[in-house]
Amino acid sequence: MNYFIWIFLGLLALILTLYIVFYIKKIKAPKIVFSFLIIPFATAFIISLLNERYPDSLRIIQIQILAALFTEIPLLLQLNKTKNLKFLALLSYLLILAVWNMLYFPTIYLIRIPSWFSAFFIIIMITLFGSFCFITKTKSFFLFLFYAAAFFAGGWLLYTALAELIFSHRLYSLLLTIGSITTLFQLLIYASEMTLISKKYSQPLFESCYLLSFAIVSAAGILMIY
């Protein structure tokens, strides 16, 4: 299976290189095509690596496949401007967070977390969500429910990561913490309707954070085995 690892790694490197080249040259159509290919080939590389070195990691492999599927759907749906499909894109986004939490959250049962940490984290997240609502100024009740669900699902992932990082000192928790923060940041960019920064840079920044959060959280799944 080693040759599969190197094949998918080489193809992923090629895709990333071409994506960066077309992004710099501002050639839209090829850039979009290669942005869609990043997640499938990154997932193929990760699964090949896990299957070769950790053949018993079936659950993590299944999670990686599900997360990749739900991550790809919003990217594909953004090509279609039909408003009826927006609900499906938002639902897929929530499913990404649900799948990640399904993988990582059970690990906190293996460590002892002080009650003060949980209480402090809840207070911080509620305060941050209040600030999030103030910045985004969401008027739609449906979108407000989506942002609340997505924000606290991302917060739950961050809680797991920080608990592991502080009280268990696992290496994967560092990547998971960075990935969780990146996820919350790109949610803020999306929810603010690109008004926080220049519209010229907001969409590329959102897409970069979106792909980066997937890559980092996926990489944490590999390190989780160690």
Side-chain angles (χ1 to χ4, degrees):
M1 182 70 74
N2 280 333
Y3 60 92
F4 278 122
I5 297 174
W6 289 109
I7 288 173
F8 286 124
L9 179 59
L11 289 174
L12 178 60
L14 177 62
I15 290 168
L16 285 172
T17 301
L18 291 174
Y19 172 78
I20 293 171
V21 169
F22 288 123
Y23 174 79
I24 293 174
K25 291 184 175 295
K26 298 180 181 179
I27 305 177
K28 188 174 181 181
K31 179 184 79 71
I32 292 174
V33 171
F34 285 107
S35 69
F36 292 153
L37 295 176
I38 291 174
I39 291 175
F41 279 91
T43 304
F45 165 67
I46 291 171
I47 291 173
S48 298
L49 185 63
L50 288 172
N51 194 48
E52 169 69 19
R53 301 196 176 186
Y54 310 100
D56 296 330
S57 57
L58 179 61
R59 182 169 178 269
I60 295 180
I61 291 174
Q62 292 171 337
I63 292 294
Q64 298 285 7
I65 294 173
L66 280 175
L69 173 64
F70 294 136
T71 305
E72 190 75 4
I73 289 174
L75 287 175
L76 293 171
L77 291 179
Q78 74 175 354
L79 292 178
N80 193 318
K81 303 301 181 182
T82 306
K83 291 185 177 180
N84 294 335
L85 295 178
K86 186 175 182 179
F87 173 77
L88 182 58
L90 298 181
L91 177 61
S92 296
Y93 188 87
L94 291 177
L95 289 173
I96 298 167
L97 297 173
V99 166
W100 288 135
N101 277 297
M102 184 171 63
L103 174 62
Y104 293 107
F105 180 70
T107 61
I108 68 173
Y109 291 111
L110 302 177
I111 58 178
R112 191 169 183 176
I113 303 175
S115 56
W116 64 263
F117 175 79
S118 299
F120 179 74
F121 185 85
I122 290 172
I123 293 171
I124 292 296
M125 291 305 296
I126 291 175
T127 304
L128 288 176
F129 184 67
S131 302
F132 178 92
C133 293
F134 177 77
I135 293 172
T136 58
K137 299 177 182 178
T138 304
K139 297 179 180 179
S140 168
F141 181 70
F142 170 75
L143 282 178
F144 174 80
L145 290 179
F146 164 73
Y147 292 143
F151 185 88
F152 286 107
W156 198 253
L157 195 64
L158 180 59
Y159 171 80
T160 304
L162 288 175
E164 280 277 12
L165 183 63
I166 296 171
F167 302 109
S168 186
H169 311 296
R170 296 281 301 277
L171 180 60
Y172 87 90
S173 61
L174 178 59
L175 281 184
L176 186 58
T177 300
I178 297 172
S180 303
I181 293 173
T182 306
T183 298
L184 292 173
F185 179 66
Q186 52 97 1
L187 178 65
L188 175 62
I189 297 172
Y190 176 81
S192 65
E193 296 182 348
M194 318 306 178
T195 58
L196 293 180
I197 52 180
S198 170
K199 198 167 185 178
K200 178 181 178 182
Y201 302 105
S202 57
Q203 186 63 26
L205 181 59
F206 170 75
E207 291 178 359
S208 299
C209 288
Y210 186 78
L211 294 172
L212 187 62
S213 63
F214 169 82
I216 295 174
V217 177
S218 295
I222 297 176
L223 290 179
M224 185 181 179
I225 303 173
Y226 287 95

